[in-house]
Coordinates of all heavy atoms in Angstrom, one line a residue:
M8 N 0.9 -1.2 0.0 CA 0.0 0.0 0.0 C 0.9 1.2 0.0 O 1.9 1.3 0.8 CB -0.9 0.0 1.2 CG -2.0 1.0 1.2 SD -3.1 0.9 2.7 CE -4.2 -0.4 2.1
P9 N 0.6 2.2 -0.8 CA 1.4 3.4 -0.9 C 1.4 4.2 0.5 O 0.4 4.2 1.2 CB 0.8 4.3 -2.0 CG -0.1 3.3 -2.8 CD -0.5 2.2 -1.8
W10 N 2.5 4.8 0.7 CA 2.7 5.5 2.0 C 3.2 6.9 1.7 O 4.2 7.1 1.0 CB 3.7 4.7 2.9 CG 4.1 5.4 4.1 CD1 5.2 6.2 4.3 CD2 3.5 5.5 5.4 NE1 5.3 6.7 5.5 CE2 4.2 6.2 6.2 CE3 2.3 4.9 5.9 CZ2 3.9 6.5 7.6 CZ3 2.0 5.1 7.2 CH2 2.8 5.9 8.0
C11 N 2.6 7.9 2.4 CA 3.1 9.2 2.2 C 3.9 9.6 3.5 O 3.3 9.7 4.6 CB 2.0 10.2 2.0 SG 2.6 12.0 1.9
T12 N 5.2 9.8 3.4 CA 6.0 10.1 4.5 C 5.7 11.5 5.0 O 5.8 11.8 6.2 CB 7.5 10.0 4.2 OG1 7.8 10.7 3.0 CG2 7.9 8.5 4.1
H13 N 5.2 12.4 4.1 CA 5.0 13.8 4.5 C 3.7 13.9 5.4 O 3.7 14.5 6.4 CB 4.9 14.6 3.3 CG 4.8 16.1 3.6 ND1 3.6 16.8 3.6 CD2 5.7 17.0 3.9 CE1 3.9 18.1 3.9 NE2 5.1 18.2 4.1
C14 N 2.6 13.1 5.0 CA 1.4 13.2 5.7 C 1.4 12.1 6.8 O 0.5 12.1 7.6 CB 0.2 12.9 4.8 SG 0.1 14.0 3.4
D15 N 2.4 11.2 6.7 CA 2.5 10.1 7.7 C 1.3 9.2 7.7 O 0.7 8.9 8.8 CB 2.8 10.7 9.1 CG 3.4 9.7 10.1 OD1 4.2 8.8 9.5 OD2 3.2 9.7 11.3
R16 N 0.8 8.8 6.6 CA -0.3 8.0 6.5 C -0.3 7.1 5.2 O 0.4 7.5 4.3 CB -1.6 8.8 6.6 CG -1.9 9.6 5.4 CD -3.1 10.5 5.6 NE -3.4 11.3 4.4 CZ -4.3 11.0 3.5 NH1 -5.0 9.9 3.6 NH2 -4.5 11.8 2.4
F17 N -1.1 6.1 5.3 CA -1.2 5.2 4.1 C -2.2 5.8 3.2 O -3.2 6.5 3.6 CB -1.7 3.8 4.6 CG -0.7 3.0 5.2 CD1 -0.8 2.7 6.6 CD2 0.4 2.5 4.5 CE1 0.2 2.0 7.2 CE2 1.4 1.7 5.2 CZ 1.2 1.5 6.6
L18 N -2.0 5.6 1.9 CA -2.9 6.1 0.9 C -3.5 4.9 0.1 O -2.8 3.9 -0.1 CB -2.2 7.0 -0.1 CG -1.3 8.0 0.5 CD1 -0.3 8.5 -0.6 CD2 -2.2 9.2 1.0
S19 N -4.8 4.9 -0.2 CA -5.3 3.8 -1.0 C -4.8 4.0 -2.4 O -4.7 5.1 -2.9 CB -6.9 3.9 -1.0 OG -7.3 5.0 -1.6
P20 N -4.4 2.9 -3.1 CA -3.8 3.0 -4.4 C -4.6 3.8 -5.4 O -4.0 4.4 -6.3 CB -3.7 1.5 -4.8 CG -3.7 0.7 -3.5 CD -4.5 1.5 -2.6
S21 N -5.9 3.8 -5.2 CA -6.8 4.5 -6.2 C -6.6 6.0 -6.0 O -6.9 6.8 -7.0 CB -8.2 4.1 -6.1 OG -8.7 4.3 -4.7
T22 N -6.3 6.5 -4.8 CA -6.2 7.9 -4.6 C -4.8 8.5 -5.0 O -4.7 9.7 -5.1 CB -6.5 8.3 -3.1 OG1 -5.6 7.7 -2.3 CG2 -7.9 7.9 -2.8
V23 N -3.8 7.7 -5.1 CA -2.5 8.2 -5.5 C -2.6 8.6 -6.9 O -3.1 8.0 -7.8 CB -1.4 7.1 -5.3 CG1 -0.1 7.6 -5.8 CG2 -1.3 6.6 -3.9
R24 N -2.0 9.8 -7.2 CA -2.0 10.3 -8.6 C -1.2 9.4 -9.5 O -0.4 8.6 -9.1 CB -1.5 11.7 -8.6 CG -2.4 12.7 -7.9 CD -1.8 14.1 -8.0 NE -2.4 15.1 -7.1 CZ -1.8 16.1 -6.6 NH1 -0.6 16.4 -7.0 NH2 -2.4 17.0 -5.8
T25 N -1.5 9.5 -10.8 CA -0.8 8.7 -11.8 C 0.7 8.9 -11.8 O 1.4 8.0 -12.2 CB -1.4 8.9 -13.2 OG1 -1.4 10.3 -13.4 CG2 -2.8 8.4 -13.3
D26 N 1.2 10.1 -11.4 CA 2.6 10.3 -11.3 C 3.2 9.9 -10.0 O 4.4 10.1 -9.7 CB 2.9 11.8 -11.6 CG 2.3 12.7 -10.6 OD1 1.4 12.3 -9.8 OD2 2.6 13.9 -10.7
G27 N 2.4 9.2 -9.1 CA 2.9 8.6 -7.9 C 3.1 9.6 -6.8 O 3.8 9.4 -5.8
T28 N 2.3 10.7 -6.8 CA 2.4 11.7 -5.8 C 1.1 11.7 -4.9 O 0.1 11.2 -5.3 CB 2.6 13.2 -6.3 OG1 1.5 13.4 -7.3 CG2 3.9 13.3 -7.1
C29 N 1.3 12.2 -3.7 CA 0.2 12.2 -2.7 C -0.9 13.2 -3.2 O -0.5 14.3 -3.5 CB 0.7 12.5 -1.4 SG -0.5 12.8 -0.1
P30 N -2.2 12.8 -3.1 CA -3.2 13.7 -3.5 C -3.4 14.9 -2.5 O -4.0 15.9 -2.8 CB -4.5 12.8 -3.6 CG -4.2 11.7 -2.7 CD -2.7 11.5 -2.8
T31 N -3.0 14.6 -1.3 CA -3.2 15.6 -0.2 C -2.1 16.7 -0.3 O -2.4 17.9 -0.3 CB -3.2 15.0 1.1 OG1 -4.1 13.9 1.1 CG2 -3.6 16.0 2.2
C32 N -0.8 16.3 -0.3 CA 0.3 17.3 -0.2 C 1.0 17.4 -1.5 O 1.8 18.4 -1.6 CB 1.2 16.8 1.0 SG 2.0 15.3 0.7
G33 N 0.8 16.5 -2.4 CA 1.5 16.7 -3.7 C 3.0 16.1 -3.7 O 3.6 16.2 -4.7
K34 N 3.4 15.7 -2.5 CA 4.8 15.1 -2.5 C 4.8 13.7 -3.0 O 3.8 13.0 -3.0 CB 5.2 15.1 -1.0 CG 5.4 16.5 -0.4 CD 6.8 17.0 -0.6 CE 7.2 18.2 0.4 NZ 6.2 19.2 0.5
P35 N 5.9 13.2 -3.5 CA 6.0 11.9 -4.0 C 5.7 10.8 -2.9 O 6.3 10.9 -1.8 CB 7.4 11.7 -4.5 CG 7.9 13.1 -4.7 CD 7.2 13.9 -3.7
A36 N 4.8 9.9 -3.2 CA 4.4 8.9 -2.2 C 5.3 7.7 -2.4 O 5.7 7.4 -3.5 CB 2.9 8.5 -2.4
D37 N 5.6 7.1 -1.3 CA 6.4 5.8 -1.3 C 5.4 4.7 -1.6 O 4.6 4.3 -0.9 CB 7.0 5.6 0.1 CG 8.0 4.5 0.1 OD1 8.1 3.8 -0.9 OD2 8.6 4.3 1.2
V38 N 5.7 4.1 -2.8 CA 4.7 3.0 -3.3 C 5.2 1.7 -2.8 O 4.6 0.7 -3.1 CB 4.6 3.1 -4.8 CG1 3.9 4.3 -5.3 CG2 6.0 2.9 -5.5
E39 N 6.2 1.6 -2.0 CA 6.6 0.3 -1.4 C 5.4 -0.2 -0.6 O 4.7 0.6 0.1 CB 7.8 0.5 -0.5 CG 8.3 -0.7 0.2 CD 9.4 -0.4 1.2 OE1 9.4 0.7 1.8 OE2 10.2 -1.3 1.5
S40 N 5.3 -1.5 -0.6 CA 4.1 -2.1 0.1 C 4.2 -1.8 1.6 O 5.3 -1.8 2.2 CB 4.1 -3.6 -0.2 OG 5.1 -4.3 0.6
G41 N 3.0 -1.7 2.2 CA 3.0 -1.4 3.6 C 3.5 -2.6 4.4 O 4.1 -2.4 5.5
R42 N 3.3 -3.8 3.9 CA 3.8 -5.0 4.6 C 5.3 -5.0 4.7 O 5.8 -5.3 5.8 CB 3.3 -6.2 3.8 CG 3.7 -7.5 4.5 CD 3.1 -8.7 3.7 NE 3.8 -10.0 4.1 CZ 3.6 -10.6 5.2 NH1 2.7 -10.2 6.0 NH2 4.3 -11.7 5.5
A43 N 6.0 -4.7 3.7 CA 7.4 -4.7 3.7 C 7.9 -3.6 4.7 O 8.8 -3.8 5.4 CB 8.0 -4.4 2.4
R44 N 7.2 -2.5 4.7 CA 7.6 -1.4 5.6 C 7.4 -1.9 7.1 O 8.2 -1.6 7.9 CB 6.7 -0.2 5.3 CG 6.8 0.9 6.3 CD 6.0 2.1 5.9 NE 6.5 2.7 4.6 CZ 7.5 3.5 4.5 NH1 8.2 3.9 5.6 NH2 7.9 3.9 3.3
R45 N 6.2 -2.5 7.3 CA 5.9 -2.9 8.7 C 7.0 -3.9 9.2 O 7.4 -3.9 10.3 CB 4.6 -3.5 8.9 CG 3.5 -2.4 9.0 CD 2.2 -3.0 9.5 NE 1.7 -4.0 8.6 CZ 0.9 -3.6 7.5 NH1 0.6 -2.4 7.2 NH2 0.5 -4.6 6.8
L46 N 7.4 -4.8 8.3 CA 8.4 -5.8 8.7 C 9.7 -5.2 9.0 O 10.4 -5.5 10.0 CB 8.6 -6.8 7.5 CG 7.6 -7.9 7.4 CD1 7.9 -8.8 6.2 CD2 7.6 -8.8 8.7
R47 N 10.1 -4.1 8.3 CA 11.4 -3.5 8.6 C 11.2 -2.6 9.8 O 12.2 -2.3 10.4 CB 11.7 -2.6 7.3 CG 13.2 -2.5 7.2 CD 13.6 -1.7 5.9 NE 12.9 -0.5 5.8 CZ 12.2 -0.1 4.7 NH1 12.3 -0.9 3.6 NH2 11.6 1.0 4.6
A48 N 10.0 -2.2 10.1 CA 9.8 -1.3 11.3 C 9.8 -2.1 12.6 O 9.8 -1.5 13.6 CB 8.4 -0.7 11.2
I49 N 10.0 -3.4 12.6 CA 10.1 -4.2 13.8 C 11.4 -3.9 14.5 O 12.4 -4.0 13.9 CB 10.0 -5.7 13.5 CG1 8.7 -6.1 12.9 CG2 10.3 -6.5 14.7 CD1 8.6 -7.6 12.4
P50 N 11.3 -3.4 15.7 CA 12.6 -3.0 16.5 C 13.5 -4.2 16.6 O 13.0 -5.4 16.7 CB 12.1 -2.6 17.8 CG 10.6 -2.3 17.6 CD 10.1 -3.3 16.6
W51 N 14.8 -4.0 16.7 CA 15.8 -5.0 16.8 C 15.6 -5.9 18.0 O 15.8 -7.1 18.0 CB 17.2 -4.5 16.7 CG 17.6 -3.7 17.9 CD1 17.4 -2.3 18.0 CD2 18.1 -4.1 19.1 NE1 17.8 -1.9 19.3 CE2 18.3 -3.0 20.0 CE3 18.5 -5.4 19.6 CZ2 18.8 -3.2 21.2 CZ3 19.0 -5.5 20.8 CH2 19.2 -4.4 21.7
H52 N 15.2 -5.3 19.1 CA 15.1 -6.1 20.3 C 13.9 -7.0 20.3 O 13.9 -8.1 20.9 CB 15.0 -5.1 21.6 CG 13.9 -4.2 21.6 ND1 13.9 -3.0 21.0 CD2 12.6 -4.3 22.1 CE1 12.7 -2.4 21.1 NE2 12.0 -3.1 21.8
I53 N 12.9 -6.7 19.5 CA 11.8 -7.6 19.3 C 12.2 -8.8 18.5 O 11.9 -10.0 18.8 CB 10.6 -6.9 18.6 CG1 10.0 -5.8 19.5 CG2 9.5 -7.9 18.3 CD1 9.4 -6.2 20.8
K54 N 13.0 -8.6 17.4 CA 13.6 -9.6 16.6 C 14.5 -10.5 17.5 O 14.4 -11.8 17.4 CB 14.4 -9.1 15.5 CG 13.6 -8.4 14.4 CD 14.5 -7.9 13.3 CE 13.7 -7.1 12.3 NZ 14.5 -6.3 11.4
L55 N 15.3 -9.9 18.4 CA 16.2 -10.7 19.3 C 15.3 -11.6 20.2 O 15.6 -12.7 20.4 CB 17.0 -9.7 20.1 CG 17.9 -10.4 21.1 CD1 19.1 -11.0 20.4 CD2 18.5 -9.3 22.1
L56 N 14.2 -11.0 20.7 CA 13.3 -11.7 21.6 C 12.7 -13.0 20.8 O 12.7 -14.1 21.4 CB 12.2 -10.8 22.0 CG 11.5 -11.2 23.3 CD1 12.4 -10.9 24.5 CD2 10.2 -10.3 23.4
I57 N 12.3 -12.8 19.6 CA 11.8 -13.8 18.8 C 12.8 -14.9 18.6 O 12.6 -16.1 18.7 CB 11.3 -13.3 17.4 CG1 10.1 -12.4 17.6 CG2 10.9 -14.5 16.5 CD1 9.6 -11.6 16.4
V58 N 14.1 -14.5 18.3 CA 15.2 -15.5 18.1 C 15.4 -16.3 19.4 O 15.5 -17.5 19.4 CB 16.5 -14.8 17.6 CG1 17.6 -15.7 17.7 CG2 16.3 -14.2 16.2
V59 N 15.5 -15.6 20.5 CA 15.8 -16.2 21.8 C 14.6 -17.1 22.1 O 14.9 -18.3 22.6 CB 16.0 -15.1 22.9 CG1 15.9 -15.7 24.3 CG2 17.3 -14.4 22.7
F60 N 13.4 -16.7 21.9 CA 12.3 -17.6 22.2 C 12.3 -18.8 21.3 O 12.0 -19.9 21.7 CB 11.0 -16.8 21.9 CG 9.7 -17.5 22.3 CD1 9.5 -17.9 23.6 CD2 8.8 -17.9 21.4 CE1 8.4 -18.5 24.0 CE2 7.6 -18.6 21.7 CZ 7.4 -18.9 23.1
G61 N 12.7 -18.7 20.0 CA 12.8 -19.8 19.1 C 13.9 -20.8 19.6 O 13.7 -22.0 19.6
V62 N 15.0 -20.3 20.1 CA 16.1 -21.1 20.6 C 15.6 -21.9 21.9 O 15.8 -23.1 22.0 CB 17.4 -20.3 21.0 CG1 18.4 -21.1 21.8 CG2 18.0 -19.8 19.7
Y63 N 14.8 -21.2 22.7 CA 14.3 -21.8 23.9 C 13.3 -22.9 23.5 O 13.3 -24.0 24.2 CB 13.6 -20.7 24.8 CG 12.8 -21.2 25.9 CD1 13.4 -21.7 27.0 CD2 11.4 -21.3 25.8 CE1 12.7 -22.2 28.1 CE2 10.6 -21.8 26.9 CZ 11.3 -22.2 28.1 OH 10.5 -22.7 29.1
L64 N 12.5 -22.6 22.5 CA 11.5 -23.7 22.1 C 12.2 -24.9 21.6 O 11.8 -26.0 21.9 CB 10.6 -23.1 21.1 CG 9.4 -22.2 21.6 CD1 8.5 -21.8 20.4 CD2 8.5 -23.0 22.5
L65 N 13.3 -24.7 20.9 CA 14.1 -25.8 20.3 C 14.7 -26.6 21.5 O 14.7 -27.8 21.5 CB 15.2 -25.3 19.4 CG 14.8 -24.9 18.0 CD1 15.9 -24.3 17.2 CD2 14.2 -26.2 17.2
Y66 N 15.2 -25.9 22.5 CA 15.8 -26.5 23.7 C 14.7 -27.3 24.4 O 15.0 -28.5 24.8 CB 16.3 -25.4 24.6 CG 16.8 -25.9 26.0 CD1 17.9 -26.6 26.1 CD2 16.1 -25.5 27.1 CE1 18.3 -27.0 27.4 CE2 16.5 -25.9 28.4 CZ 17.6 -26.7 28.5 OH 18.0 -27.1 29.7
R67 N 13.5 -26.8 24.6 CA 12.4 -27.5 25.2 C 12.0 -28.7 24.4 O 11.7 -29.7 24.9 CB 11.2 -26.6 25.5 CG 11.5 -25.4 26.4 CD 11.8 -25.9 27.8 NE 10.7 -26.6 28.4 CZ 10.6 -27.1 29.7 NH1 11.7 -27.1 30.4 NH2 9.5 -27.7 30.1
L68 N 12.0 -28.5 23.1 CA 11.6 -29.6 22.2 C 12.6 -30.8 22.3 O 12.3 -32.0 22.4 CB 11.7 -29.2 20.7 CG 11.2 -30.2 19.7 CD1 9.7 -30.4 19.7 CD2 11.6 -29.7 18.3
G69 N 13.9 -30.4 22.4 CA 15.0 -31.4 22.7 C 14.8 -32.2 24.0 O 14.9 -33.4 24.1
Q70 N 14.4 -31.4 25.0 CA 14.1 -32.0 26.3 C 12.9 -33.0 26.2 O 12.9 -34.1 26.8 CB 13.8 -30.9 27.4 CG 15.0 -30.3 27.9 CD 14.6 -29.4 29.1 OE1 13.5 -28.8 29.2 NE2 15.6 -29.2 30.0
G71 N 11.9 -32.5 25.5 CA 10.7 -33.4 25.3 C 11.0 -34.7 24.6 O 10.5 -35.7 24.9
I72 N 11.9 -34.6 23.5 CA 12.2 -35.8 22.8 C 13.1 -36.7 23.7 O 12.8 -37.9 23.7 CB 13.1 -35.4 21.5 CG1 12.2 -34.7 20.5 CG2 13.7 -36.6 20.9 CD1 12.8 -34.0 19.4
D73 N 13.9 -36.1 24.5 CA 14.7 -36.9 25.5 C 13.7 -37.7 26.4 O 13.9 -38.8 26.7 CB 15.6 -36.0 26.3 CG 16.9 -35.8 25.7 OD1 17.2 -36.4 24.6 OD2 17.7 -35.0 26.2
W74 N 12.7 -36.9 26.9 CA 11.7 -37.5 27.8 C 11.0 -38.7 27.1 O 10.7 -39.7 27.7 CB 10.7 -36.4 28.3 CG 9.7 -36.9 29.2 CD1 9.8 -37.1 30.5 CD2 8.3 -37.3 28.9 NE1 8.6 -37.6 31.0 CE2 7.7 -37.7 30.0 CE3 7.7 -37.4 27.6 CZ2 6.4 -38.2 30.1 CZ3 6.3 -37.8 27.7 CH2 5.7 -38.2 28.9
L75 N 10.6 -38.4 25.8 CA 9.9 -39.4 25.1 C 10.7 -40.7 25.0 O 10.2 -41.8 25.1 CB 9.5 -38.9 23.7 CG 8.1 -38.1 23.7 CD1 8.0 -37.6 22.3 CD2 7.0 -39.0 24.1
I76 N 12.0 -40.5 24.6 CA 12.9 -41.6 24.5 C 13.0 -42.4 25.8 O 13.1 -43.6 25.8 CB 14.3 -41.1 24.0 CG1 14.1 -40.7 22.5 CG2 15.3 -42.3 24.0 CD1 15.3 -39.9 22.0
G77 N 13.1 -41.6 26.9 CA 13.2 -42.2 28.2 C 11.9 -43.0 28.6 O 12.0 -44.0 29.4
Q78 N 10.8 -42.7 28.0 CA 9.6 -43.5 28.3 C 9.5 -44.8 27.6 O 8.7 -45.7 27.9 CB 8.3 -42.7 27.9 CG 8.2 -41.3 28.6 CD 8.0 -41.5 30.1 OE1 7.1 -42.2 30.5 NE2 8.8 -40.9 30.8
L79 N 10.3 -45.0 26.5 CA 10.3 -46.2 25.7 C 10.9 -47.4 26.4 O 11.9 -47.2 27.2 CB 11.0 -46.0 24.4 CG 10.3 -44.9 23.5 CD1 11.2 -44.7 22.2 CD2 8.9 -45.4 23.1
Ligands
ZN5 ZN1 0.9 13.5 1.5

């Protein structure tokens, strides 16, 4: 979804002018998809948290497999 950095808001693709400028302020709108923008906007410490949580889950999974093997 197009984004206008000047107005700090998303624009619906139909309202963006054919030359790619914002209909409100006339500045060039960023036509990069909003999804890609939001992914890049994730703070680094949240990414670190996700990685640490993933490692923890793998560790617990290994413990679970060990337990299962112990039950056999
Ligand atoms: Zn604008």
